[in-house]
Amino acid sequence: DADVTQTPRNRITKTGKRIMLECSQTKGHDRMYWYRQDPGLGLRLIYYSFDVKDINKGEISDGYSVSRQAQAKFSLSLESAIPNQTALYFCATSYGTGNFYEQYFGPGTRLTVT
Amino acid sequence: GQQVMQIPQYQHVQEGEDFTTYCNSSTTLSNIQWYKQRPGGHPVFLIQLVKSGEVKKQKRLTFQFGEAKKNSSLHITATQTTDVGTYFCAGTYSGYSTLTFGKGTMLLVSP
């Protein structure tokens, strides 16, 4: 959806470099998520945030950190990138009341760590 | 931790054949959602099931939630080439606020 944007769309970086992936949304949603997709492994949750002051670790948070700069912005950082962090990264958003709301995904960032 | 198992991992059908993908959890789910990801695209929400035994239809797609709320299926009748993509189920467990995704079923449809 154009309502959820991710930058950059593609990135190649070297081992040990710090990299930030950014997500912005115009949907007015409170909840934002970062997922990682690897072939055959589905979508795995890295971090999620239910409002600006709320940050939670997901299933695979090691090696990652996040920042929720505003309701509309949620950034994912790799402090020291390693090759096994090569993957497709998706940001997603959803409404904040109740648990049963659909998630809207951004177009993804394809990250390659060499 | 909780896991949602999804099978098959991959299926190749001829256009016009039916297709089914199944999701299974060892623990009761509060709800289950289905997403479709076209090749090169991002996951897009299809539907949500909440009630035990619930069945919902969207044109040629039929979604079911098991009576015990531990399994779900997506059935496509008479596949078309536009159905190509990966279908994911994703469930929420009681006391948790996030989705647990299955690994997806990749569907290829040959004309």
Side-chain angles (χ1 to χ4, degrees), chain B residues 6 8 14 17 22 32 36 43 59 70 78 88 94 96 101-102 106-107 109:
Chain B
Q6 189 172 357
Q14 293 294 121
E17 293 181 338
Y22 302 89
I32 195 155
K36 177 182 178 181
K59 297 182 180 179
K70 290 183 177 181
F88 292 98
S94 178
Y96 292 84
F101 279 82
M106 182 184 297
L107 172 64
V109 181

Side-chain angles (χ1 to χ4, degrees), chain B residues 8-43:
Chain B
Q9 185 175 358
Y10 172 84
Q11 188 151 8
H12 184 181
V13 300
Q14 293 294 121
E15 190 171 24
E17 293 181 338
D18 291 357
F19 160 78
T20 305
T21 174
Y22 302 89
C23 282
N24 195 63
S25 170
S26 59
T27 309
T28 301
L29 295 160
S30 297
N31 73 320
I32 195 155
Q33 298 179 2
W34 286 90
Y35 291 79
K36 177 182 178 181
Q37 183 178 20
R38 295 183 186 275
H42 58 275

Side-chain angles (χ1 to χ4, degrees), chain A residues 1 31 33 35 37 40-43 45 48 50 88 90 99-108, chain B residues 9 30-31 33 35 37 40-45 48 50 88 92 96-99 101-104:
Chain A
D1 287 12
R31 299 184 175 188
Y33 312 82
Y35 290 94
Q37 184 174 35
L41 295 181
L43 291 154
L45 184 63
Y48 61 102
F50 283 178
L88 183 56
F90 286 106
N99 294 332
F100 303 158
Y101 286 97
E102 65 193 88
Q103 294 187 8
Y104 296 82
F105 285 79
Chain B
Q9 185 175 358
S30 297
N31 73 320
Q33 298 179 2
Y35 291 79
Q37 183 178 20
H42 58 275
V44 175
F45 175 80
Q48 176 169 268
V50 179
F88 292 98
T92 303
Y96 292 84
S97 302
T98 57
L99 289 171
F101 279 82
K103 293 182 178 181

Side-chain angles (χ1 to χ4, degrees), chain A residues 27-48:
Chain A
K27 300 189 77 68
H29 290 167
D30 289 323
R31 299 184 175 188
M32 298 187 74
Y33 312 82
W34 276 105
Y35 290 94
R36 167 179 174 158
Q37 184 174 35
D38 298 276
L41 295 181
L43 291 154
R44 294 182 291 169
L45 184 63
I46 305 172
Y47 270 95
Y48 61 102

